[in-house]
Amino acid sequence: AQSVAQPEDQVNVAEGNPLTVKCTYSVSGNPYLFWYVQYPNRGLQFLLKYITGDNLVKGSYGFEAEFNKSQTSFHLKKPSALVSDSALYFCAVRDRGNNRLAFGKGNQVVVIP
Amino acid sequence: ETGVTQSPTHLIKTRGQQVTLRCSSQSGHNTVSWYQQALGQGPQFIFQYYREEENGRGNFPPRFSGLQFPNYSSELNVNALELDDSALYLCASSLGGLAGYNEQYFGPGTRLTVT
């Protein structure tokens, strides 16, 4: 069964500094990988996905993520964090052999003004 | 905001009761997935419906059941509620059923409290 690990509970970063949220995954085959963001009392919003092709994926609000097959990682990055980026970020993976989407436990990002 | 809506927003039930949660998918989406998100956890996959058929299920007991209607809206039914069923229930719609590369669009969720 597929699974996701997000090793840090909380990421603190100063406004304007680079933001990285880490994610590693485990699947039996080739993965589809996703990042979602959740604001308080809201549903999840899609940020970006990796299906195939270029390992660097660009998404909404200036976010990007790099797929690394050898390290089974899909870290989320943003060159310059904004206070409005403070939210809960979830990494998710789907094995191409089934249609179950497995989420990590989430990372709380706090951007300090 | 996505075009996915869920009702009700909040619900309080007593242990042993039954509950029905509803979801309207985004226009044009034929696939609906349901998730349970406990406090401080990531969403856990309950099941998925594609063209009115269940086509995938997570590790949830049979008292969790669902329906999808011809207009692709969906219901989640939970029988014999337990205290541990207290959670945020999220509905997500997408295109394509088994084409797992399509992103899902989530509704705001229904907060269920079981006392």
Side-chain angles (χ1 to χ4, degrees):
Chain A
Q2 60 266 44
S3 65
V4 169
Q6 294 183 248
E8 300 162 314
D9 288 334
Q10 183 163 312
V11 174
N12 295 325
V13 61
E15 186 176 23
N17 280 4
L19 169 63
T20 298
V21 187
K22 295 180 180 178
C23 169
T24 58
Y25 65 89
S26 174
V27 295
S28 58
N30 291 316
Y32 295 131
L33 292 156
F34 304 82
W35 275 100
Y36 287 85
V37 61
Q38 187 175 35
Y39 296 97
N41 301 314
R42 303 277 290 276
L44 278 69
Q45 295 180 28
F46 169 74
L47 280 179
L48 51 78
K49 66 182 178 182
Y50 172 81
I51 301 172
T52 188
D54 194 348
N55 289 342
L56 184 63
V57 178
K58 294 187 182 297
S60 306
Y61 312 118
F63 284 94
E64 58 188 30
E66 186 164 12
F67 170 63
N68 187 317
K69 187 173 183 178
S70 63
Q71 297 186 1
T72 62
S73 68
F74 189 55
H75 301 330
L76 181 70
K77 300 180 181 182
K78 186 171 184 179
S80 178
L82 301 172
V83 172
S84 58
D85 293 329
S86 298
L88 192 54
Y89 289 80
F90 291 97
C91 180
V93 66
R94 174 183 276 130
D95 190 326
R96 297 184 187 201
N98 66 62
N99 54 13
R100 299 184 184 186
L101 190 60
F103 283 85
K105 64 178 174 57
N107 282 120
Q108 183 68 50
V109 169
V110 177
V111 181
I112 303 162
Chain B
E1 297 288 342
T2 70
V4 181
T5 60
Q6 293 186 242
S7 63
T9 305
H10 296 89
L11 203 51
I12 300 174
K13 289 286 190 177
T14 303
R15 190 170 49 184
Q17 286 187 316
Q18 178 266 342
V19 69
T20 297
L21 309 182
R22 295 179 174 82
C23 171
S24 291
S25 58
Q26 186 160 311
S27 178
H29 285 183
N30 55 17
T31 303
V32 173
S33 303
W34 285 91
Y35 295 86
Q36 181 194 67
Q37 186 178 16
L39 205 59
Q41 301 296 316
Q44 297 292 314
F45 175 73
I46 303 175
F47 44 57
Q48 181 181 91
Y49 279 82
Y50 172 62
R51 293 186 175 178
E52 303 178 58
E53 298 279 337
E54 183 182 298
N55 73 341
R57 189 178 182 93
N59 296 324
F60 281 82
R63 60 189 185 85
F64 285 78
S65 63
L67 283 173
Q68 188 181 30
F69 300 99
N71 66 354
Y72 302 133
S73 66
S74 178
E75 288 183 353
L76 165 65
N77 298 291
V78 187
N79 293 323
L81 284 167
E82 301 177 359
L83 296 179
D84 284 349
D85 295 334
S86 295
L88 181 67
Y89 288 84
L90 295 167
C91 165
S93 73
S94 59
L95 280 171
L98 297 179
Y101 51 77
N102 288 318
E103 60 270 26
Q104 298 183 352
Y105 292 86
F106 284 79
T110 293
R111 174 72 63 187
L112 173 64
T113 302
V114 182
T115 62

